[in-house]
């Protein structure tokens, strides 16, 4: 029982409380935040909080507009309202960054959990580490493996960072997306992505199913209504406004000052030997029937070959050798169950889309093993050996020669501007990365280079990492997570000593390189938003 006095007080408080989309609702969060907030960030936070009936929203601001800050405001408000079952799911490389920002900027307690941390917490007497009075932070892969544990907790809010990684969650072949949809069904969700659509409108549909699979009905209805003839895009835009908010850079130029971008293109013309190789491989890939390009993986194999052919001669050479070895095994042993494409995608650190296509082709069943025509296989092997011979003869290609010109031009311009002599070169191939490291070493940049990729376990990186551990041994910078500490060591080395970082796409997300003044796109991704993500690091 409560007294009349208490009842009157509660009634007054309920009357005084602001509506869900009023600025007063997040006034406490605004007061507590240790950041300089911009109007669009406050509007985005209010958008995420405005409707108690909505099952979630997508905040899709362009790169660099502060989606993490917007999410932090929302988390802060939930925490203030004592809704403290909060989960953040993000790429493994961003877990430490999330924990640091929530603690430093919003004073929110956090806990990063992985298999080792969970075992340790249970040893410490915490029966269920996922149910703590903290913001729980998980990687995508670990969260998808903890489906049963996550389903058992009544999460008040689940944040997905880099949510475009789940844009195909509606597809049967997307195991991770399906597991997370099942585990977190019915929970309030906040999706963060600068690239809500990359290749198809179906990716918007995929993101919508994470929030509520009934927003658009099934995928057939979505395709019929918005992808086929007579598409009503205006209607689609109106429906998207209900759960997606996107702010562009041009919308905030009045109060956000951006570094001026100066761009230039360095053209190059392939030599005769390079053109011969390109034409030969292109003709080879256009054949209707080929053992080298099996029907069920033909599209993926062709995509990879074209991508690597555009990257460097070195990159495509190793791929041709892999295909030749596969054909030899097929001819001699009739073995076609090897996962050479999967290994290739992983080794080269190619875009995740390739892995998704590979998973989809695996779902369709094993590759056909009809009677082998050994004479035809031998002809294809001979052609591949010819291509490999041509490629091996090209020691330095025209593209890498022009890279030197681009570096010299860029450094000269940066010197005029008084900008730091720091440049990052993005490539989409690990082998191209190794080739460029060797080539630039020979061209006068020895001792001025550092590489950055998904593993960072090459001898040079190991040496930098070990030296960093010695220098930081008595400081708080070491986290104990080897992959995270390796990344930090390489970034520190780039900041303090190296002039050039040669990086794969691993450096395009969650890496702070604000001290770097020049971005060189040695390989251009098909999606222009990926270029924007690269630029956003610097």
């Amino acid at each position: 029982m409560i007294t009349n006095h208490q009842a009157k007080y509660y009634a007054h408080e309920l009357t005084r409380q602001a509506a869900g989309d009023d600025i007063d609702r997040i006034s406490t969060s605004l007061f507590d935040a240790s950041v300089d907030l911009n109007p669009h960030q406050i509007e985005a936070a209010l958008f995420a909080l405005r409707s108690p009936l909505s099952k979630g929203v997508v905040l899709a601001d362009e790169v660099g507009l502060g989606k993490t800050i917007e999410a932090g405001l929302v988390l802060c408000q939930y925490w203030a309202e004592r809704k403290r079952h909060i989960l953040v799911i993000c790429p493994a490389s961003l877990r430490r960054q999330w924990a640091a920002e929530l603690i430093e900027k919003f004073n929110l307690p956090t806990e990063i959990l992985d298999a080792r941390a969970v075992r340790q917490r249970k040893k410490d007497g915490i029966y269920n580490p996922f149910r703590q009075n903290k913001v729980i932070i998980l990687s995508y892969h670990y969260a998808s493996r903890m489906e049963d544990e996550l389903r058992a907790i009544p999460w008040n809010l689940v944040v997905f960072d880099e949510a475009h990684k789940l844009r195909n969650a509606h597809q049967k072949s997307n195991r991770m997306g399906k597991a997370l949809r099942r585990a977190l069904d019915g929970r309030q969700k906040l999706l963060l992505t600068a690239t809500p659509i990359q290749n198809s409108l179906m990716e918007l549909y995929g993101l919508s199913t994470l929030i509520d699979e009934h927003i658009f009905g099934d995928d057939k209805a979505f395709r019929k209504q918005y992808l086929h003839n007579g598409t009503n895009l205006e209607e689609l835009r109106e429906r998207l406004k209900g759960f997606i908010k996107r702010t562009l850079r041009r919308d905030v130029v009045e109060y956000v000052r951006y570094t001026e971008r100066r761009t230039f293109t360095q053209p190059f013309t392939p030599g005769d030997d390079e053109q011969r190789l390109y034409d030969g491989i292109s003709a080879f890939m256009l054949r209707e029937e080929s053992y080298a390009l099996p029907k069920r993986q033909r599209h993926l194999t062709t995509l990879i070959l074209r991508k690597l052919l555009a990257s460097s001669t070195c990159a495509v050479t190793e791929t041709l050798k892999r295909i030749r070895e596969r054909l030899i095994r097929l001819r001699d042993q009739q073995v076609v169950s090897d996962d050479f494409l999967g290994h290739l995608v992983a080794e080269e650190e190619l875009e995740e889309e390739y892995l998704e296509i590979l998973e989809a082709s695996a779902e369709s069943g094993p590759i056909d093993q009809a009677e082998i025509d050994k004479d035809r296989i031998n002809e294809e092997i001979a052609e591949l050996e010819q291509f490999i011979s041509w490629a091996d003869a090209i020691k330095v290609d025209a593209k890498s020669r022009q890279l030197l010109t681009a570096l010299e031009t860029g450094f000269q311009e940066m010197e005029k501007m008084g900008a730091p002599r720091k440049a990052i070169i993005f490539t989409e191939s690990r082998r191209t990365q190794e080739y460029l490291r060797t080539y630039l070493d020979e061209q006068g940049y020895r001792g001025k280079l550092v590489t950055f990729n998904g593993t960072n376990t090459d001898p040079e990186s190991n040496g930098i990492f070990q030296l960093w551990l010695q220098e930081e041994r008595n400081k708080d910078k070491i986290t104990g997570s080897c992959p995270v500490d390796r990344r930090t060591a390489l970034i520190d080395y780039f900041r303090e000593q190296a002039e050039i970082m040669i990086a794969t796409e691993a450096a395009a997300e969650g890496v702070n390189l604000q001290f770097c003044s020049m971005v060189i796109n040695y390989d251009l991704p098909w999606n222009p938003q990926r270029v924007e993500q690269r630029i956003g690091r610097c």
Side-chain angles (χ1 to χ4, degrees):
M1 291 289 293
I2 61 174
T3 66
N4 291 337
H5 177 76
Q6 289 171 325
K8 185 176 181 179
Y9 172 76
Y10 291 143
H12 170 73
E13 282 298 303
L14 289 172
T15 304
R16 189 182 64 82
Q17 282 184 359
D21 59 351
D22 192 288
I23 189 68
D24 288 344
R25 184 176 178 193
I26 61 170
S27 58
T28 303
S29 302
L30 296 174
F31 181 77
D32 290 341
S34 301
V35 290
D36 294 326
L37 296 170
N38 290 308
H40 73 276
Q41 294 169 332
I42 298 171
E43 289 175 7
L46 290 172
F47 177 83
L49 292 164
R50 70 180 180 183
S51 175
L53 300 178
S54 170
K55 293 183 180 179
V57 299
V58 181
L59 300 184
D61 295 359
E62 278 192 299
V63 175
L65 294 185
K67 291 183 293 298
T68 306
I69 300 300
E70 296 165 1
L73 288 174
V74 177
L75 265 63
C76 233
Q77 184 59 31
Y78 269 76
W79 194 267
E81 295 176 4
R82 305 196 69 78
K83 300 174 182 176
R84 297 185 176 180
H85 290 306
I86 299 174
L87 175 65
V88 174
I89 302 177
C90 62
S93 60
L94 302 185
R95 291 174 299 172
R96 295 282 174 183
Q97 184 175 322
W98 264 96
E101 294 208 5
L102 291 181
I103 293 171
E104 296 169 5
K105 296 178 180 177
F106 298 98
N107 198 30
L108 291 176
T110 63
E111 178 84 8
I112 299 174
L113 292 181
D114 55 21
R116 184 175 63 177
V118 167
R119 287 195 299 269
Q120 184 59 49
R121 295 300 177 273
K122 289 183 176 180
K123 286 182 181 178
D124 295 339
I126 300 175
Y127 174 72
N128 188 347
F130 295 97
R131 190 186 285 268
Q132 298 186 66
N133 200 27
K134 297 179 180 179
V135 177
I136 303 299
I137 302 175
L138 308 178
S139 71
Y140 274 104
H141 290 286
Y142 185 65
S144 65
R145 296 203 304 270
M146 296 292 106
E147 180 181 341
D148 294 337
E149 289 81 354
L150 297 183
R151 187 190 292 118
I153 296 176
W155 300 104
N156 299 119
L157 180 66
V158 181
V159 177
F160 291 92
D161 191 20
E162 305 293 348
H164 52 268
K165 295 182 180 298
L166 297 177
R167 63 188 179 279
N168 293 322
H170 61 291
Q171 296 180 356
K172 292 181 180 180
S173 60
N174 194 296
R175 298 185 182 90
M176 179 189 296
K178 289 174 68 67
L180 292 175
R181 280 177 58 187
R182 291 191 299 264
L184 302 168
D185 183 45
R187 310 297 188 229
Q188 191 78 12
K189 301 181 183 74
L190 176 60
L191 279 59
L192 309 177
T193 173
T195 53
I197 180 172
Q198 299 190 62
N199 302 305
S200 167
L201 284 176
M202 288 305 298
E203 294 167 358
L204 288 175
Y205 173 79
L207 290 179
S208 76
T209 62
L210 287 172
I211 296 172
D212 183 352
E213 61 185 32
H214 302 297
I215 290 179
F216 290 108
D218 61 19
D219 58 342
K220 293 180 181 177
F222 185 88
R223 284 191 175 92
K224 182 178 180 180
Q225 194 166 4
Y226 300 116
L227 268 70
H228 296 161
N229 292 334
T231 296
N232 188 347
L233 291 181
E234 283 304 319
E235 179 187 332
L236 177 59
R237 289 190 184 98
E238 285 301 314
R239 295 186 67 176
L240 292 174
K241 285 180 182 178
F243 68 96
I244 296 182
K245 183 172 180 58
R246 181 166 176 80
T247 303
L248 305 178
R249 293 167 67 96
R250 64 170 179 262
D251 299 331
V252 301
V253 292
E254 292 182 8
Y255 51 85
V256 177
R257 293 187 62 186
Y258 289 104
T259 303
E260 180 186 355
R261 296 181 181 182
R262 298 186 182 182
T263 62
F264 68 92
T265 302
Q266 186 63 49
F268 69 93
T269 303
D272 293 341
D273 291 343
E274 295 173 62
Q275 191 64 51
R276 178 180 61 176
L277 176 65
Y278 181 88
D279 293 340
I281 294 177
S282 295
F284 187 79
M285 289 189 290
L286 289 175
R287 290 181 182 171
E288 291 296 328
E289 298 292 335
S290 171
Y291 285 104
L293 306 175
K295 286 183 179 179
R296 295 190 182 184
Q297 294 181 339
R298 180 186 180 89
H299 178 56
L300 179 58
T301 309
T302 302
L303 284 175
I304 291 175
L305 277 173
R306 290 204 179 278
K307 175 67 72 175
L308 297 177
L309 194 56
S311 179
S312 71
T313 305
C314 175
V316 78
T317 302
E318 294 303 318
T319 307
L320 293 173
K321 289 178 180 177
R322 275 191 175 275
I323 296 175
R324 180 190 61 186
E325 290 166 6
R326 177 185 177 280
L327 288 183
I328 291 173
R329 289 197 300 272
L330 182 63
R331 179 196 64 191
D332 296 343
Q333 304 172 21
Q334 297 192 11
V335 175
V336 293
S337 58
D338 58 323
D339 185 26
F340 86 102
L341 277 181
H343 290 306
L344 179 64
V345 171
E347 287 176 3
E348 289 285 5
E349 291 190 20
L350 296 173
E351 298 173 26
E352 291 183 355
E353 285 87 341
Y354 295 111
L355 289 174
E356 293 165 2
I357 297 171
L358 190 60
E359 286 184 2
S361 65
E363 290 288 322
S364 63
I367 298 172
D368 295 331
Q369 298 194 40
E371 185 177 348
I372 302 298
D373 184 339
K374 292 188 176 181
D375 290 336
R376 215 175 84 201
I377 289 183
N378 283 329
E379 289 176 5
E380 291 190 25
I381 292 172
E383 285 186 82
L384 289 171
E385 288 176 344
Q386 180 66 77
F387 297 150
I388 293 167
S389 175
W390 289 348
D392 284 339
I394 302 170
K395 301 302 181 184
V396 179
D397 56 36
K399 186 178 179 183
S400 53
R401 289 193 184 96
Q402 290 305 310
L403 172 63
L404 286 177
T405 305
L407 281 169
E408 293 168 4
T409 303
F411 282 144
Q412 289 172 6
E413 290 299 314
M414 289 155 62
E415 185 177 0
K416 295 177 185 176
M417 298 163 59
R421 190 180 170 89
K422 304 287 180 180
I424 183 168
I425 302 170
F426 278 103
T427 175
E428 294 192 305
S429 162
R430 281 281 295 274
R431 291 193 175 94
T432 299
Q433 182 186 49
E434 295 164 7
Y435 161 71
L436 290 178
R437 172 67 183 254
T438 302
Y439 177 68
L440 291 177
D441 266 347
E442 296 170 351
Q443 300 301 317
Y445 288 99
R446 187 178 299 276
K448 302 175 182 178
L449 302 170
V450 62
T451 57
F452 192 100
N453 51 54
T455 60
N456 300 310
T457 55
D458 59 279
E460 292 84 356
S461 296
N462 279 334
I464 292 171
F465 177 50
Q466 293 303 321
L467 184 60
W468 181 85
L469 286 175
Q470 293 177 18
E471 294 174 347
E472 303 292 335
R473 62 183 178 275
N474 296 321
K475 302 176 184 177
D476 297 332
K477 210 167 188 178
I478 299 176
T479 66
S481 170
C482 192
V484 172
D485 288 340
R486 281 180 179 275
R487 291 162 65 93
T488 304
L490 294 175
I491 292 170
D492 285 354
Y493 183 82
F494 182 30
R495 180 190 299 108
E496 296 163 8
Q497 298 187 49
E499 291 183 357
I500 300 170
M501 173 178 276
I502 309 170
T504 64
E505 289 296 321
E509 292 180 349
V511 175
N512 186 341
L513 302 174
Q514 297 299 306
F515 56 86
C516 181
S517 304
M518 179 163 64
V519 177
I520 296 179
N521 293 296
Y522 191 79
D523 296 334
L524 276 172
W526 288 325
N527 185 344
Q529 282 295 334
R530 287 188 177 272
V531 177
E532 191 66 32
Q533 284 182 318
R534 294 173 175 182
I535 296 171
R537 301 306 102 207
C538 301

